[in-house]
Amino acid sequence: MEQFLSVASETVTMVGILYLVCGVFVGILGGSLPGISPSMTISLVLPMSLYFETNNALMALIGAYMGAMYGGSISAILINTPGSASAAATVLDGYEMAKNNQAGKALGMSLSASCTGGLVGSIILMLSANLLAKLSLKFGPPEYFGIMLFTLVLIAGICSDNFWKGLSLISLGLFFGAIGADRIDGTERFTFGLGDLYDGIQLLPLFIGVFALSELLIQTGNSVEELNKPADVVAMDDNRLSFKEYCSQFKNSVLGGIYGCLIGILPGLGGSTASFISYADAKRRSKYPEKFGTGIIDGVAAPESANNAVCGGALVPMLTLGIPGDVVTAILMGAFIAHGVKPGPLLFTQHIGEVYKIYIAIILSVVALFFVGTLLLRFFVRIIAVRKSLLLPFIFILCVLGTYAARGNLFDPLVMVVFGVVGFVLRSGSFQLTPVVIAFILGIELETSFRQAMRVSSMDASIFFTSPFCLFFLVCTLIFAVVTGYKRTRNNGRSSATE
């Protein structure tokens, strides 16, 4: 407790709070703009954070994460277009409430529920992360290999409509991660004679290219009229959410927070899955399920609490095992590593102060979210009406400057452009980006764990089957791969026969 209080006194400063508030502000701003997803928002914040002190960078990044997860509800409610995938369920009742002259009430409920869900997720994070970290300290290279292999196969099955397509995306991400010097013996791999690739592909140009630049390329495919057309925003009304109405939705908000956090812990599922599950459960428990979809406040509280609770849940595997729970935490993981904070079980034994800083930042981000969202709501409402023709060039400039400024290397913007094209091609072909990015993040650790285990066992592969933990995850991987591959193949065969 003394150490926690000592870290809190260092972390909770006026400067730190300012960075946190700015992070929340930028997060809400990015999340509320259609097409500017939380992953894209964090990608754009990342290069700026490299110039901050570690404490301030953590505050800004976590604040932006929390703000971006909430921001999508603003455009979902006012223009029937979710700013992020996690706000898709909010559209069902939020926009209907806005059309019924209850926009203020819907926005108030989404903010209150997001804060409640974020608080629930934070509490679960703090209660579970230490326990999981202690367990993971017993893991060696074989166990880590089994866990990461299971994670990658799980993501391949969950994040793609075709299991084999998902595996191909995982393989692509592993290939990108293998480029550069071998970590163990220093051998060059896939550098094609380019000295700039000796250190491998940097995280920042890949993130900005895949998420931000690819989105810009997709947006520029719209017509000139579409790019110059301001969003049709439903008029803001003066009715506000009452305390009594918030209390009536407290159960939905808490349960949504629990669902969101637990689902966030599972790699690959993300906020959209949590939101729809929470929405469906609220409808199932409701005394008037027939009103869902017609503009009912329950339909806003349940999904909004879930998508912000995902923040705490997704941080659990990232902090304890070094395995990101979703794309946004994959980017956060890269940012933490850049600041010398390497997620994993050793973080809880050797750098527990950094863990406490993250706990403090996520709790304070919930408080900052409430005040920033309340005070600046009308500003964000005006921003979502900005024409894309004005917004997109500004974002492109940020992409180039942010990528170049990180290392002062002109090669990085070129890499960003390449991955922007790769992301554009994948998205145009209806491929998910999540498997590629997470495989890129985990690929090096997966290979290192495998080779370390083989060296320890004198090249005897039986080490992976004599470890109970590793064997358990390998069996789970095999079962999931067979079942998922069979179901997807059978469903595709039925679809083809029907056509």
Side-chain angles (χ1 to χ4, degrees):
M1 179 58 72
E2 291 182 4
Q3 187 176 4
F4 179 83
L5 293 176
S6 175
V7 172
S9 65
E10 297 175 4
T11 305
V12 186
T13 63
M14 291 300 295
V15 175
I17 296 297
L18 179 61
Y19 277 91
L20 178 72
V21 170
C22 289
V24 170
F25 174 82
V26 173
I28 298 176
L29 185 62
S32 63
L33 293 169
I36 314 299
S37 62
S39 55
M40 182 174 175
T41 302
I42 302 300
S43 296
L44 295 174
V45 173
L46 174 54
M48 292 184 287
S49 74
L50 298 179
Y51 295 94
F52 305 159
E53 293 181 3
T54 300
N55 176 62
N56 297 332
L58 293 177
M59 299 285 268
L61 288 165
I62 292 177
Y65 183 20
M66 187 68 70
M69 294 300 289
Y70 157 71
S73 67
I74 298 176
S75 54
I77 292 170
L78 296 180
I79 64 174
N80 197 28
T81 304
S84 61
S86 59
T90 308
V91 170
L92 301 176
D93 282 279
Y95 184 64
E96 293 299 323
M97 288 184 68
K99 290 197 299 183
N100 295 333
N101 297 319
Q102 292 183 312
K105 197 180 297 293
L107 290 168
M109 189 69 254
S110 69
L111 177 61
S112 301
S114 293
C115 293
T116 304
L119 185 60
V120 171
S122 303
I123 293 172
I124 295 177
L125 165 66
M126 291 186 287
L127 292 176
S128 61
N130 286 2
L131 297 176
L132 184 56
K134 289 180 181 178
L135 175 64
S136 61
L137 284 173
K138 300 178 181 179
F139 293 170
E143 290 79 13
Y144 273 107
F145 172 77
I147 292 172
M148 285 187 278
L149 183 65
F150 175 65
T151 299
L152 292 177
V153 173
L154 184 68
I155 289 170
I158 291 174
C159 297
S160 179
D161 57 351
N162 184 297
F163 180 64
W164 309 112
K165 183 192 293 186
L167 287 181
S168 67
L169 294 173
I170 291 291
S171 301
L172 184 62
L174 293 176
F175 167 73
F176 291 145
I179 294 174
D182 187 300
R183 277 194 171 186
I184 295 179
D185 56 28
T187 305
E188 288 190 39
R189 303 183 299 189
F190 310 116
T191 59
F192 308 105
L194 297 174
D196 288 298
L197 286 178
Y198 184 79
D199 291 331
I201 294 173
Q202 301 300 308
L203 293 171
L204 186 58
L206 182 137
F207 289 151
I208 293 181
V210 166
F211 295 113
L213 189 58
S214 67
E215 178 63 32
L216 296 184
L217 293 174
I218 289 176
Q219 294 288 348
T220 53
N222 295 327
S223 64
V224 176
E225 292 78 11
E226 181 68 23
L227 292 174
N228 286 318
K229 179 183 177 183
D232 185 15
V233 183
V234 175
M236 274 284 292
D237 48 78
D238 291 329
N239 61 348
R240 293 286 182 266
L241 180 76
S242 67
F243 182 71
K244 181 179 180 181
E245 288 171 322
Y246 168 74
C247 292
S248 69
Q249 298 302 314
F250 185 74
K251 182 178 181 180
N252 280 333
S253 298
V254 172
L255 287 177
I258 295 173
Y259 287 133
C261 188
L262 295 180
I263 292 170
I265 293 174
L266 300 175
L269 293 182
S272 58
T273 303
S275 297
F276 278 107
I277 288 178
S278 181
Y279 182 89
D281 179 70
K283 183 177 181 179
R284 179 186 62 81
R285 291 184 290 100
S286 176
K287 297 178 180 179
Y288 29 81
E290 70 282 353
K291 292 185 179 181
F292 276 73
T294 63
I296 184 174
I297 199 170
D298 307 50
V300 175
E304 279 304 302
S305 61
N307 67 36
N308 269 71
V310 167
C311 297
L315 287 174
V316 173
M318 188 202 82
L319 292 176
T320 57
L321 301 174
I323 297 176
D326 57 16
V327 172
V328 184
T329 47
I331 302 172
L332 280 177
M333 181 174 167
F336 287 2
I337 292 173
H339 284 280
V341 181
K342 186 176 181 180
L346 294 180
L347 182 66
F348 287 76
T349 57
Q350 299 176 359
H351 304 283
I352 189 64
E354 304 299 330
V355 176
Y356 290 155
K357 288 180 182 178
I358 294 171
Y359 289 168
I360 293 168
I362 196 169
I363 289 291
L364 291 179
S365 67
V366 175
V367 179
L369 174 63
F370 179 78
F371 285 104
V372 173
T374 301
L375 296 175
L376 299 178
L377 179 59
R378 291 190 179 275
F379 170 78
F380 295 121
V381 170
R382 291 185 179 182
I383 287 294
I384 64 176
V386 172
R387 294 178 175 85
K388 291 183 179 179
S389 58
L390 299 176
L391 182 65
L392 299 184
F394 176 71
I395 294 176
F396 177 73
I397 293 173
L398 286 180
C399 292
V400 176
L401 291 179
T403 306
Y404 172 75
R407 296 198 305 165
N409 189 337
L410 286 173
F411 185 73
D412 287 345
L414 295 177
V415 173
M416 178 200 69
V417 172
V418 170
F419 279 100
V421 174
V422 170
F424 172 75
V425 171
L426 291 176
R427 295 175 66 177
S428 299
S430 299
F431 288 89
Q432 292 284 337
L433 299 177
T434 303
V436 178
V437 174
I438 294 185
F440 174 79
I441 292 288
L442 296 181
I444 295 177
E445 297 299 331
L446 177 76
E447 178 191 7
T448 302
S449 297
F450 175 80
R451 294 173 66 180
Q452 286 176 343
M454 293 296 287
R455 289 195 174 195
V456 168
S457 65
S458 301
M459 307 306 290
D460 183 3
S462 64
I463 189 173
F464 297 106
F465 304 100
T466 54
S467 166
F469 279 114
C470 183
L471 181 60
F472 170 76
F473 284 110
L474 290 178
V475 170
C476 289
T477 301
L478 180 62
I479 293 173
F480 180 81
V482 171
V483 172
T484 304
Y486 173 72
K487 284 184 176 180
R488 295 290 171 86
T489 303
R490 186 180 61 179
N491 291 339
N492 291 339
R494 287 179 177 177
S495 300
S496 301
T498 303
E499 292 176 0

